[in-house]
């Protein structure tokens, strides 16, 4: 038995192994959020970071998917062709970046068009992208989730608005003391049937003088009236302010800052005073189409839309008077990314 004991002891030394290596760290999920709107096709690819996410790629192209929709109720062939080509670029970017989780949505144009479902099937066939047509409430909630971090933490009420191509989502959001989740702080919301494309097509966007601009504002005010009645108490709350996310408000901010070219870092989170907004709108009305097209913060592709957007902005500002508005170059796509990462507990996994 002694020999057996020695034989048992020896291998313990001879076969000693180093301690096992720690398990490999889980690969970071790469997320993508795509928003195909009435005017723009926009993609954001990101990975979780300590305080939110880190953008690794982005894409934006004006496709005007809703061109002519207000008069025909259909998506035009040329518009669909432009959108499909942009979506193919998005597909390739997602493949190149190794996207493992994505939400790819489309909004008002596909909701409203009689051939919207046909277009979605065409996108699946030609671009291998499965678009999700989200409803108006989902669109408003995601937009709020994406930009709510910019609301003044001391404000008891904020009117958040997203001026799109075919619709404008507007929300009365309560203060942070009510709930941590911005979606849980929504007091009232609406999706208005006015956007930069629809208003510009109704009134024309090339020659816009003061009289025509005021007619545009009155039309937008009428569309806004039911929501303005429901949310009338918001503007009387302590710390109340406006929070705008869209190409319109970021353009207004860029012009106010006198940027030689648009710079998101300068614009996102900017506070503008009432008189600053009015001064920029006055300047835009005084510009002719060529001057608007030549402005680096507007460009030729949006020169006929910017005053339509300003008319919507001005209608909201008059309905909810505030001395200040915060500008957000973030919204629906960022809301999608944050929601997916929250669902996956992405930040908990990193600890």
């Amino acid at each position: 038995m002694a020999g057996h004991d020695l034989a048992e002891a020896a291998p313990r030394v001879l076969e000693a192994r180093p301690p096992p290596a720690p398990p490999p760290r889980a690969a970071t999920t790469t997320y993508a959020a795509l928003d195909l709107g009435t005017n723009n096709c926009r993609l954001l690819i990101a990975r979780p970071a300590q305080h939110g996410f880190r953008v690794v790629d982005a894409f934006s192209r004006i496709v005007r998917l809703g061109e002519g929709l207000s008069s025909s109720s259909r998506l035009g062939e040329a518009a669909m062709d432009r959108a499909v080509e942009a979506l193919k670029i998005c597909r390739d970017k997602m493949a190149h970046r190794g996207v493992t989780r994505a939400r790819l949505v489309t909004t008002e144009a596909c909701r409203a068009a009689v051939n919207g479902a046909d277009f979605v099937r065409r996108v699946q066939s030609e671009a291998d992208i499965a678009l999700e047509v989200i409803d108006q409430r989902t669109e408003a909630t995601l937009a709020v989730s994406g930009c709510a971090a910019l609301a003044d933490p001391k404000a008891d009420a904020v009117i958040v608005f997203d001026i799109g191509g075919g619709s404008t989502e507007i929300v009365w959001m309560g203060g942070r003391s009510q709930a941590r989740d911005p979606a849980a702080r929504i007091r009232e919301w609406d999706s208005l049937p006015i956007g930069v494309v629809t208003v510009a097509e109704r009134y024309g966007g090339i020659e816009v003088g003061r009289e025509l601009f005021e007619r545009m504002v009155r039309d937008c005010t009428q569309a806004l009236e039911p929501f303005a009645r429901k949310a009338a108490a918001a503007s009387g709350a302590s710390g109340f302010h406006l929070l705008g996310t869209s190409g319109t408000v970021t353009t207004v901010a860029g012009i106010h800052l006198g940027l030689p070219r648009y710079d998101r870092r300068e614009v996102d989170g900017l506070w503008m005073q009432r008189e600053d907004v009015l001064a920029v709108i006055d300047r835009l009305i005084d510009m002719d189409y060529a001057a608007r097209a030549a402005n680096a913060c507007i460009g030729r592709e949006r020169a006929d839309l910017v005053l339509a957007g300003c008319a919507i902005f001005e209608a909201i500002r008059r309905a909810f008077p505030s001395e200040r508005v915060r500008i957000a170059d973030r919204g629906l796509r960022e809301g999608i990314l944050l929601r997916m990462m929250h669902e996956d507990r992405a930040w908990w996994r990193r600890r």
Side-chain angles (χ1 to χ4, degrees):
M1 293 298 292
H4 180 74
D5 290 340
L6 288 173
E8 284 288 322
R12 291 180 186 171
V13 176
L14 295 173
E15 295 184 7
R17 297 184 180 124
R25 187 172 179 176
T28 302
T29 303
T30 301
Y31 294 82
L34 183 145
D35 170 21
L36 176 62
T38 302
N39 195 47
N40 288 288
C41 176
R42 306 179 74 195
L43 172 72
L44 207 55
I45 299 174
R47 298 188 181 111
Q50 185 174 2
H51 300 292
F53 55 79
R54 178 174 61 86
V55 174
V56 296
D57 208 346
F59 172 78
S60 179
R61 176 176 291 180
I62 293 176
V63 296
R64 298 206 181 197
L65 178 61
E67 187 175 61
L69 176 62
S70 58
S71 58
S72 68
S73 299
R74 299 184 62 85
L75 302 176
E77 288 299 323
M80 290 190 288
D81 289 345
R82 291 192 297 267
V84 169
E85 289 308 307
L87 289 168
K88 289 178 180 177
I89 295 173
C90 294
R91 174 201 62 198
D92 294 344
K93 281 184 171 287
M94 288 188 287
H96 176 68
R97 295 293 183 177
V99 169
T100 47
R101 179 139 146 69
R103 190 173 185 186
L104 317 172
V105 308
T106 185
T107 55
E108 183 62 21
C110 286
R111 286 196 298 257
V114 296
N115 59 339
D118 293 335
F119 170 70
V120 169
R121 285 190 289 271
R122 176 183 168 185
V123 168
Q124 176 73 75
S125 173
E126 295 185 19
D128 195 26
I129 283 179
L131 288 176
E132 173 191 358
V133 184
I134 58 174
D135 60 32
Q136 295 163 327
R137 174 64 190 250
T138 301
E139 183 178 0
T141 300
L142 289 171
V144 165
S145 297
C147 67
L150 292 179
D152 185 340
K154 297 179 181 178
D156 288 339
V158 179
I159 293 293
V160 184
F161 59 95
D162 181 0
I163 302 171
S167 65
T168 292
E169 275 54 56
I170 187 164
V171 170
W172 172 12
M173 183 176 70
R176 293 188 185 182
S177 61
Q178 297 181 13
R180 291 185 62 186
D181 183 357
R185 307 206 306 264
I186 294 177
R187 303 281 300 275
E188 296 286 351
W189 72 278
D190 204 350
S191 180
L192 311 177
I194 49 174
V196 296
V197 174
T198 52
V199 173
E201 287 184 349
R202 188 177 307 155
Y203 287 99
I206 304 297
E207 297 181 9
V208 181
R210 294 189 181 277
E211 182 179 346
L212 179 57
F213 182 77
E214 283 300 323
R215 285 170 52 201
M216 295 162 72
V217 173
R218 287 196 297 270
D219 187 25
C220 296
T221 298
Q222 186 175 1
L224 178 62
E225 189 174 358
F227 176 80
R229 286 198 303 268
K230 292 189 294 183
S235 55
S238 174
F240 170 75
H241 69 89
L242 300 176
L243 172 55
T245 170
S246 69
T248 295
V249 297
T250 56
T251 296
V252 168
I255 294 171
H256 164 66
L257 292 172
L259 298 180
R261 63 170 53 189
Y262 183 79
D263 186 343
R264 180 188 184 278
R265 296 167 298 179
E266 297 288 334
V267 168
D268 186 52
L270 178 73
W271 285 102
M272 289 186 67
Q273 300 302 306
R274 170 183 172 276
E275 58 269 22
D276 299 331
V277 174
L278 291 174
V280 173
I281 292 176
D282 282 343
R283 282 178 59 190
L284 287 168
I285 294 172
D286 288 340
M287 289 181 183
D288 60 15
Y289 174 78
R292 296 196 302 271
N295 187 289
C297 291
I298 303 173
R300 182 180 56 82
E301 290 184 313
R302 300 181 61 251
D304 61 333
L305 304 177
V306 65
L307 281 168
C310 286
I312 300 170
F313 188 3
E314 179 62 8
I316 293 169
R317 199 195 60 76
R318 292 181 189 180
F320 299 98
S322 173
E323 287 301 313
R324 57 189 186 142
V325 56
R326 197 158 204 196
I327 309 300
D329 190 340
R330 59 178 83 180
L332 182 60
R333 294 174 304 161
E334 289 80 1
I336 290 172
L337 290 172
L338 290 170
R339 286 284 167 186
M340 288 193 294
M341 292 177 189
H342 180 76
E343 290 167 3
D344 293 351
R345 299 178 64 85
W347 298 291
W348 286 267
R349 291 204 310 265
R350 292 179 59 83
R351 292 176 182 174

